[in-house]
C-alpha cells in the first residue's frame, strides 16, 4: 500500500529513502547502484525497495472520484 | 580486556574487544537488543481520519517511527502513575493535517511534540492524502525496551563475531587457487607471499582449506577476541547505546551481588542460631 517505515526483517529505517529511490529509478538508473548509494546494504532491506508497489497512489484516485459523486 | 579499535561507517560501529570471551560481549549485545529504554509511540487517540489507511495501520506506522530524546522521562512501570500514563512518563505528539486543494504526503516532520521527543527524521511518510482528506490525532510516546516490542529495539543490527585466524604454513607454493576461490576476498599474494588482506571479512567458510592442494592453509578462530557490530535505528547513537549497555550490565551485576550478599548473611546467621 504505502512504503513500510522499517525493514520487516532487521528494522532499519527505510521509509524516508523511498522517494529518492523512486525518483532515481524513474530517471532510468540501475536499482542496485541507487540502493548502494542510499546505504541499503543488506538484502532484507533491498527487497523492501525492489518488491514494493506504491498502491496507495491508485487507491487515492478512487477517493477523488467518490468525493466528486457526493458533491452532486 | 582491551578495546583494540572502534571504527564507524555510515550508521554502523565496529568494536574489536580483545581478551574478552565472546560470551561476555554477547551479554552486551543482548542488552543492547532487549534491555535499553528508548522512546516510541505507544498510544494513539485518533480524532479524525478520512484517509485511505485504517486507524490501526496509521497507529502502527506511527509506532515504527524512531524517536530521539526522552532521556528525562520516567520508566512507565516505575512511574508514580503505575504505568497508566502521566506527563512524567509520556510525551504527546500531535498530528493535524488537512489536504485542502491538492494531493499531499504527511511526513513525520508534521508531528508536533509537546516534550523533548522528536522523530529522528522529518522525511518519513506517514500517510498520503487526497484533496479534502483530513487526519487529526494525538500520539503518546513512552519509554520501553526491545523485550516488549520491536519498535523499542534501538538497533537494526547487533552482532558478535569471533576473530578468524588464518594460518599459512611453508607448504604454500603460491598457486593462487585459494585467492581466487575465497568468496570474501580475504587472501592476497603480495611480494611472493600469501597474506591475509582483511581478516574480519573472513566468514570461516573454509573454502580455502578445501581447495588448497598442499594443505598449507588452516582456518580457525580465536575465542578470546570478538568484534561487536551495531547499527542504530537513530534514537540513540551507537556510542551512547554501548555505554548504556555497559552501565546496565554493571547495575544488574551490582543488584545480583547485593542479593547474594544478603542470602549469605542470612545463611551464616541461620547457622549461628542453630548452633546456639
Amino acid at each position: 500500500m504505502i512504503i513500510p517505515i522499517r525493514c520487516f526483517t532487521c528494522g532499519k529505517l527505510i521509509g524516508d529513502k523511498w522517494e529518492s529511490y523512486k525518483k532515481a529509478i524513474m530517471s532510468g538508473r540501475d536499482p542496485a547502484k541507487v540502493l548502494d548509494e542510499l546505504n541499503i546494504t543488506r538484502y532484507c532491506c533491498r527487497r523492501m525497495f525492489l518488491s514494493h508497489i506504491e498502491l496507495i497512489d491508485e487507491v487515492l484516485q478512487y477517493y477523488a472520484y467518490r468525493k466528486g459523486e457526493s458533491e452532486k | 580486556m582491551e578495546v583494540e579499535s572502534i571504527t564507524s561507517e555510515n550508521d554502523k560501529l565496529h568494536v574489536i574487544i580483545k581478551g574478552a570471551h565472546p560470551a561476555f560481549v554477547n551479554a552486551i549485545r543482548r542488552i543492547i537488543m532487549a534491555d535499553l529504554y528508548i522512546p516510541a509511540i505507544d498510544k494513539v487517540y485518533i480524532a479524525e481520519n478520512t484517509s485511505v489507511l485504517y486507524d490501526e495501520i496509521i497507529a502502527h506506522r506511527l509506532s515504527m517511527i524512531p524517536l530521539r530524546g526522552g532521556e528525562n522521562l520516567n520508566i512507565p512501570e516505575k512511574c508514580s502513575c503505575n504505568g497508566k500514563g502521566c506527563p512524567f512518563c509520556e510525551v504527546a505528539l500531535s498530528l493535524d493535517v488537512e489536504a485542502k486543494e491538492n494531493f499531499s504526503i504527511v511526513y513525520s516532520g508534521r508531528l508536533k511534540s509537546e516534550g523533548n521527543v522528536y522523530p529522528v527524521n522529518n522525511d518519513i511518510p506517514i500517510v498520503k492524502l487526497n484533496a479534502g482528506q483530513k487526519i487529526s490525532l494525538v500520539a503518546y510516546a513512552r519509554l520501553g525496551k526491545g523485550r516488549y516490542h520491536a519498535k523499542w529495539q534501538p538497533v537494526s543490527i547487533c552482532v558478535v563475531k569471533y576473530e578468524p585466524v588464518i594460518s599459512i604454513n611453508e607448504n604454500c607454493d603460491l598457486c593462487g587457487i585459494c585467492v581466487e576461490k575465497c568468496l570474501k576476498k580475504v587472501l592476497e599474494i603480495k611480494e611472493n607471499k600469501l597474506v591475509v588482506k582483511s581478516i574480519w571479512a573472513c566468514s570461516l567458510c573454509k573454502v580455502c582449506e578445501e581447495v588448497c592442494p598442499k594443505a598449507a592453509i588452516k582456518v580457525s578462530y580465536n575465542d578470546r577476541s570478538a568484534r561487536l557490530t551495531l547499527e542504530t535505528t537513530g534514537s540513540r547513537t551507537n556510542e551512547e547505546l554501548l555505554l548504556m549497555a555497559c552501565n546496565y550490565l554493571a547495575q544488574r551485576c551490582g543488584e545480583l551481588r547485593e542479593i547474594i550478599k544478603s542470602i549469605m548473611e542470612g545463611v551464616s546467621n541461620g547457622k549461628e542460631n542453630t548452633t546456639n
Side-chain angles (χ1 to χ4, degrees):
Chain A
M1 191 71 155
I2 183 167
I3 184 75
I5 289 178
R6 295 197 192 199
C7 170
F8 290 156
T9 305
C10 71
K12 186 187 170 74
L13 180 63
I14 55 166
D16 56 332
K17 298 175 188 78
W18 169 255
E19 273 167 43
S20 46
Y21 169 79
K22 196 178 175 193
K23 219 182 203 174
I25 296 302
M26 286 307 195
S27 69
R29 296 193 52 213
D30 178 15
K33 287 199 183 112
V34 179
L35 288 170
D36 286 341
E37 279 164 27
L38 289 169
N39 287 324
I40 313 285
T41 51
R42 288 183 288 282
Y43 66 61
C44 61
C45 311
R46 289 170 88 93
R47 62 92 205 255
M48 299 297 292
F49 285 86
L50 294 172
S51 60
H52 179 65
I53 298 168
E54 194 84 347
L55 268 179
I56 194 166
D57 291 339
E58 317 284 325
V59 179
L60 277 177
Q61 291 170 10
Y62 289 98
Y63 179 84
Y65 173 70
R66 266 183 51 205
K67 192 186 160 238
E69 201 176 49
S70 63
E71 277 171 1
K72 271 177 203 168
Chain B
M1 179 171 43
E2 64 183 281
V3 174
E4 196 181 63
S5 75
I6 298 183
T7 47
S8 60
E9 39 161 329
N10 308 329
D11 289 339
K12 268 200 207 120
L13 181 79
H14 300 287
V15 188
I16 298 172
I17 303 169
K18 293 242 169 187
H21 198 274
F24 174 76
V25 187
N26 191 42
I28 294 175
R29 179 190 74 87
R30 290 190 55 150
I31 289 168
I32 293 175
M33 294 196 64
D35 282 311
L36 298 182
Y37 282 96
I38 62 158
I41 288 171
D42 197 32
K43 255 195 301 190
V44 182
Y45 292 104
I46 295 179
E48 198 175 352
N49 173 23
T50 53
S51 76
V52 292
L53 296 186
Y54 296 122
D55 294 358
E56 290 88 340
I57 294 178
I58 291 172
H60 180 254
R61 288 182 71 79
L62 285 169
S63 77
M64 297 317 279
I65 297 172
L67 302 175
R68 267 190 295 122
E71 289 88 353
N72 57 345
L73 285 177
N74 285 351
I75 292 161
E77 305 94 85
K78 293 177 188 162
C79 185
S80 53
C81 66
N82 288 327
K84 273 183 215 139
C86 68
F88 299 109
C89 63
E90 280 183 342
V91 171
L93 294 111
S94 57
L95 183 70
D96 227 326
V97 185
E98 187 179 2
K100 293 235 165 60
E101 300 289 313
N102 302 313
F103 158 86
S104 72
I105 306 177
V106 182
Y107 290 105
S108 56
R110 297 293 291 269
L111 280 167
K112 265 194 226 91
S113 173
E114 284 161 28
N116 73 335
V117 169
Y118 307 96
V120 294
N121 194 316
N122 285 340
D123 309 320
I124 307 165
I126 296 169
V127 65
K128 288 186 179 177
L129 300 178
N130 208 340
Q133 289 182 330
K134 198 181 166 189
I135 183 160
S136 166
L137 56 88
V138 184
Y140 289 91
R142 45 164 63 183
L143 296 180
K145 49 187 180 183
R147 200 177 291 281
Y148 306 150
H149 193 284
K151 67 187 173 185
W152 282 305
Q153 188 175 299
V155 285
S156 52
I157 284 293
C158 197
V159 228
V160 177
K161 186 184 179 180
Y162 293 168
E163 183 186 25
V165 175
I166 302 173
S167 46
I168 301 154
N169 67 21
E170 65 280 3
N171 290 346
C172 177
D173 60 355
L174 301 176
C175 63
I177 298 174
C178 53
V179 177
E180 193 188 317
K181 293 281 179 183
C182 178
L183 297 167
K184 302 280 180 180
K185 306 277 170 246
V186 174
L187 298 160
E188 184 180 37
I189 293 177
K190 210 175 182 181
E191 292 160 1
N192 271 335
K193 222 179 156 199
L194 182 64
V195 290
V196 178
K197 188 169 58 178
S198 46
I199 187 76
W200 286 103
C202 177
S203 64
L204 301 169
C205 68
K206 302 198 177 183
V207 163
C208 49
E209 251 185 59
E210 280 164 28
V211 298
C212 185
K214 303 270 180 190
I217 195 160
K218 186 101 187 66
V219 179
S220 60
Y221 58 86
N222 174 8
D223 70 358
R224 299 299 298 173
S225 174
R227 184 183 69 169
L228 178 70
T229 301
L230 55 151
E231 183 188 80
T232 175
T233 52
S235 56
R236 300 282 184 269
T237 64
N238 288 315
E239 291 82 359
E240 275 173 341
L241 288 173
L242 206 53
L243 285 176
M244 281 164 78
C246 293
N247 289 339
Y248 182 85
L249 186 61
Q251 180 208 326
R252 290 304 294 267
C253 288
E255 283 170 20
L256 183 65
R257 189 181 61 194
E258 290 307 310
I259 294 166
I260 291 173
K261 230 162 120 186
S262 67
I263 293 172
M264 299 285 272
E265 276 164 14
V267 168
S268 60
N269 288 344
K271 261 184 191 163
E272 274 169 25
N273 290 341
T274 48
T275 47
N276 289 343

